[in-house]
Amino acid sequence: MDFNVKRLAADAGTFLSRAVQFTEEKLGQAEKTELDAHLENLLVRAENTKQWTERIMRQTEVLLQPNPNVRLEEFVYEKLEKKVPTRMNNHELLGQSMIDSGNEFGPGTAYGNALIKCGETEKQIGGAEREFIQSSAINFLTPFRNFLDGDFKTILKERKLLQVKRLDLDAAKTRLKKARMADARAVAEQELRMTQSEFDRQAEITRLLLEGVSSTHAHHLRCLNDLVEAQTTYYAQCYQYMVDLQKQLGSFPSSFSNNNRSSVSDAASISVPTIPVSASLPNMSAGLGSATASGGFNELRSSNSSRKARVLYDYDAASSSELSLLADEVITVSNVPGMDSDWLMGERGNQKGKVPITYLELLN
């Protein structure tokens, strides 16, 4: 019992000594042992790493799940260690609505069939998005979170302990300065040697942990590469799905009969223009060159003659050198030497300008 009382008294005395030292330092009445410059720089780097890791994590979470309510729900489930309910994402919901409406209008009709095809593609994109989110969460967010919850908390703990050891050291220095009697000075000197040793040992432990942040940066660099790779795969999948869908929709006639009524306007509304590859994705144009040159366009270029062509989709001119088009109109097209292979010169009456060949169907 006496031992416990003495222990509590000693702990209370130590705590009081630290509090007095801290207060006097803040008031400028006591000297403070400064850390060496290298250790200070390591502390600053660790703190910056923590702050930017948190910020990048938050923005990545917003990218992967823009809905704040869903993010909050997922956070709650994670804290409760429960599985998050599986739900359809926005692409999958849109795709299902298109498929349901297409079945309602009739898969045998052009509009119904087109809706079903669009819906299936949207669900494919939704699946690709789900894989991208899962991959990014595992290979990018989880390592970042592990650093914050593991390594940095250990650094924070040791840094606080270093602060305590420094206060003990400076308090011992203060007591030595105030000691007047020889016995008191001997005790104070012994205490100073002990606190100095403990401070040096703790500073070394903290330094080793802080130098490990370099390894954290190297690991996070690998995680960043994983994120970029996941994004590349996701965007490439989405692009390919949409290219395939455009090809399917391009095979639909511009007008069709639905319940014995002409539906030209409906057909135009479901047409999805094909973006000229050379204008948007120059690195991929070589792989698609043979597709855009089909349908007699090669022959037209080699003969330098003119042909009639039917416009497949509406097109708004992007500059004064281009010609705006309306679906189903017939224009005259010809090749101009030096023009990009994805474009022809189009004429409509007195109007003349460049037109994308992917919007055209050559007539016999």
Side-chain angles (χ1 to χ4, degrees), residues 38-206:
H38 177 60
L39 187 56
E40 286 284 5
N41 290 334
L42 290 176
L43 286 169
V44 171
R45 185 181 65 162
E47 184 62 30
N48 287 339
T49 301
K50 177 250 187 184
Q51 292 178 0
W52 283 109
T53 299
E54 288 177 333
R55 184 169 179 177
I56 292 171
M57 274 188 57
R58 286 195 299 268
Q59 293 304 316
T60 304
E61 289 168 350
V62 171
L63 172 68
L64 299 180
Q65 178 48 261
N67 190 326
N69 294 327
V70 175
R71 290 202 306 274
L72 177 60
E73 181 183 4
E74 291 175 349
F75 175 78
V76 172
Y77 273 99
E78 180 181 350
K79 291 301 180 182
L80 296 176
E81 298 183 351
K82 292 185 178 181
K83 185 177 180 181
V84 180
T86 302
R87 60 167 61 86
M88 298 177 72
N89 57 38
N90 290 333
H91 282 289
E92 292 170 328
L93 289 170
L94 173 60
Q96 191 59 52
S97 296
M98 286 181 168
I99 291 173
D100 293 343
S101 61
N103 288 324
E104 178 69 24
F105 292 130
T109 65
Y111 183 43
N113 194 4
L115 280 170
I116 292 174
K117 291 183 182 299
C118 288
E120 291 171 346
T121 299
E122 290 293 342
K123 295 188 77 170
Q124 284 181 309
I125 293 176
E129 179 185 355
R130 192 179 299 279
E131 292 176 0
F132 164 61
I133 291 174
Q134 183 179 13
S135 174
S136 300
I138 294 174
N139 298 323
F140 188 72
L141 287 179
T142 298
F144 273 46
R145 188 176 292 110
N146 288 343
F147 164 72
L148 295 174
D149 294 340
D151 293 350
F152 189 78
K153 283 189 175 181
T154 301
I155 290 174
L156 191 61
K157 176 183 176 181
E158 297 300 331
R159 188 177 67 181
K160 289 180 178 179
L161 187 55
L162 178 63
Q163 172 73 355
V164 169
K165 297 299 182 182
R166 187 197 61 76
L167 289 172
D168 290 343
L169 173 62
D170 288 338
K173 290 179 179 179
T174 301
R175 283 192 290 272
L176 178 60
K177 287 181 180 180
K178 294 180 179 180
R180 295 291 181 266
M181 303 298 291
D183 292 344
R185 288 188 63 83
V187 172
E189 287 174 353
Q190 182 180 2
E191 182 184 10
L192 178 59
R193 287 193 295 270
M194 182 182 67
T195 55
Q196 182 70 60
S197 175
E198 291 180 353
F199 171 77
D200 292 341
R201 183 169 59 252
Q202 185 58 38
E204 180 65 14
I205 293 173
T206 306

Side-chain angles (χ1 to χ4, degrees), residues 346-358:
E347 295 184 51
R348 183 202 304 113
N350 295 328
Q351 296 178 320
K352 191 174 183 179
K354 295 193 304 180
V355 293
I357 66 173
T358 49

Side-chain angles (χ1 to χ4, degrees), residues 163-276:
Q163 172 73 355
V164 169
K165 297 299 182 182
R166 187 197 61 76
L167 289 172
D168 290 343
L169 173 62
D170 288 338
K173 290 179 179 179
T174 301
R175 283 192 290 272
L176 178 60
K177 287 181 180 180
K178 294 180 179 180
R180 295 291 181 266
M181 303 298 291
D183 292 344
R185 288 188 63 83
V187 172
E189 287 174 353
Q190 182 180 2
E191 182 184 10
L192 178 59
R193 287 193 295 270
M194 182 182 67
T195 55
Q196 182 70 60
S197 175
E198 291 180 353
F199 171 77
D200 292 341
R201 183 169 59 252
Q202 185 58 38
E204 180 65 14
I205 293 173
T206 306
R207 182 185 64 80
L208 291 174
L209 286 172
L210 291 171
E211 289 178 345
V213 173
S214 296
S215 299
T216 298
H217 286 186
H219 180 50
H220 286 182
L221 175 58
R222 293 192 294 272
C223 297
L224 188 61
N225 286 329
D226 291 338
L227 175 66
V228 172
E229 182 178 351
Q231 284 181 300
T232 302
T233 301
Y234 170 55
Y235 294 139
Q237 286 178 317
C238 293
Y239 174 78
Q240 190 59 54
Y241 291 149
M242 296 311 296
V243 167
D244 294 342
L245 178 61
Q246 284 183 323
K247 291 179 181 178
Q248 295 180 61
L249 295 185
S251 65
F252 282 79
S254 60
S255 62
F256 55 88
S257 176
N258 187 7
N259 295 331
N260 298 321
R261 297 181 62 184
S262 177
S263 303
V264 176
S265 60
D266 288 344
S269 68
I270 64 170
S271 297
V272 180
T274 302
I275 301 173

